[in-house]
Amino acid sequence: MELWQPDRVYFEADARNTVVGKRVKEYCLEKNIEMLETTSHNQVRNLPGEDEKAKYAAAKKTLIVGIKKSMKLEVCKPSADYQFSLMTNCPGSCEYCYLFTTQGKKPYVRVYGNLDELYNTIDQYIEKKLPHTTMFEAASTGDPLGVEHITGSLKDTIEHFSTLKSGKLRVVTKYAAVDPLLDINHNGNTRFRFSINSNYVIKNFEHNVDNLWDRLRAAEKMAKAGYPLGFLIAPIILHDGWKIEYKEMLEALHRHIGLQPNSFITFELIQHRFTMNAKNIIEERFPNTRLEMDPEKRQKKWGKYGRVKYVYEKHEAEEAKEYLTDLIKKYFPNGHIQYFT
Ligand code: SF4
């Protein structure tokens, strides 16, 4: 897939002269992209578009470079100890995106310039937990690889973590443009994970992200570059024929990755979930969606801040967990399933 290119870029004044701000400005000049000003990365108004669908499309082509104000890092269970944001939102438009719940009203892509401040904060959090190693997730508010060709932030962050003794980084992506990360010093401190799914899910619900084959080729490259590797099977959707399709997906993964020497691979299994807030936004933006979101067919689960999420009924979730666990054990005897949620 071609690399994402925004139609317009807004800058907060303080972000312009950060390393990231300068890189984005250079990119805009080279590609002849309109540059505008905003007082806050949280308030960009007057984006073009007559209706909700058109406004959403315009927002997904809008990039904002800002300064991240809060340096308080949130806990990020079960995948890490803490999460931090290099960006919020992403150029992709997956119909099931978990960000609809929290970022539904502001789908434009935001990236942050104050990386030095962020790295200081990360170092302080690590210091507080010594002698334990602290794990950080960099992709829970967006997909940083989707904008890496514009910001270079992920490369900087991986290099920062390569210098740390007691801090580890985890990243997850649905993109494949990993080439700028292959020759850098990562020191084995970043586990790079790819989010993969059945052909049905990718074809019907994932838009403006790379296809499975490109992701698998990218994973192969990262394995060869010595990165610890992982895969998120997420969201697991129990569509017609799901068993056959998830088996085919794991067979394809085995063909690409199974024989890599560093094949201690982690797997994270996340069943599909939705909140009522997300369901309403998804149905407005994707009126013909085939995503099944009938609360009557789901069980409730309470998430962060008392939010109610709808997940599969217990017996269905258990069946999916057992089935996928058996397949992973068969194809990846050294694989490690970290959680099913
Ligand atoms: Fe959301 Fe991830 Fe898809 Fe981006 S790639 S739209 S963050 S699910």
Side-chain angles (χ1 to χ4, degrees), residues 59-270:
K60 283 281 176 181
K61 293 290 270 178
T62 302
L63 176 66
I64 299 159
V65 190
I67 295 289
K68 182 93 182 137
K69 303 272 178 325
S70 168
M71 283 290 147
K72 185 173 182 300
L73 305 188
E74 281 192 39
V75 171
C76 182
K77 295 292 177 196
S79 87
D81 295 303
Y82 297 103
Q83 65 186 57
F84 62 81
S85 303
L86 299 175
M87 64 175 317
T88 306
N89 283 321
C90 95
S93 303
C94 304
E95 295 183 21
Y96 54 69
C97 182
Y98 55 97
L99 296 174
F100 280 122
T101 295
T102 51
Q103 302 298 327
K105 297 289 172 205
K106 294 185 248 178
Y108 38 77
V109 183
R110 279 160 272 169
V111 297
Y112 305 112
N114 44 336
L115 293 184
D116 286 343
E117 205 183 338
L118 174 67
Y119 299 156
N120 278 336
T121 306
I122 288 168
D123 294 354
Q124 284 164 18
Y125 273 71
I126 292 171
E127 187 75 27
K128 273 190 236 156
K129 288 239 176 189
L130 287 175
H132 299 289
T133 296
T134 310
M135 185 76 77
F136 296 84
E137 170 67 71
S140 44
T141 57
D143 192 321
L145 191 61
V147 293
E148 180 64 8
H149 56 291
I150 307 176
T151 64
S153 309
L154 194 50
K155 176 177 172 288
D156 291 349
T157 307
I158 291 171
E159 285 178 332
H160 179 74
F161 272 84
S162 78
T163 65
L164 302 178
K165 280 205 177 67
S166 303
K168 302 273 183 198
L169 177 65
R170 291 162 75 84
V171 182
V172 62
T173 189
K174 285 191 175 76
Y175 289 94
V178 293
D179 287 3
L181 308 178
L182 296 178
D183 295 327
I184 64 173
N185 186 14
H186 56 77
N187 205 13
N189 282 351
T190 296
R191 182 169 293 276
F192 214 93
R193 295 119 82 220
F194 291 84
S195 171
I196 55 173
N197 222 311
S198 72
N199 185 40
Y200 176 88
V201 172
I202 292 181
K203 209 169 109 210
N204 285 290
F205 307 127
E206 296 186 358
H207 315 290
N208 305 324
V209 292
D210 283 315
N211 66 43
L212 179 64
W213 310 111
D214 287 344
R215 282 178 233 173
L216 294 183
R217 274 190 287 272
E220 207 173 352
K221 286 185 193 171
M222 292 300 264
K224 285 184 179 143
Y227 281 88
L229 214 57
F231 293 91
L232 261 80
I233 306 178
I236 298 161
I237 295 185
L238 306 184
H239 54 81
D240 285 350
W242 67 271
K243 285 192 174 172
I244 295 172
E245 290 213 8
Y246 280 106
K247 183 166 183 278
E248 285 170 355
M249 178 199 76
L250 283 162
E251 284 168 351
L253 182 59
H254 180 253
R255 284 197 299 278
H256 279 267
I257 303 298
L259 301 175
Q260 294 301 322
N262 53 344
S263 51
F264 177 80
I265 297 171
T266 59
F267 289 89
E268 293 153 82
L269 311 182
I270 305 174

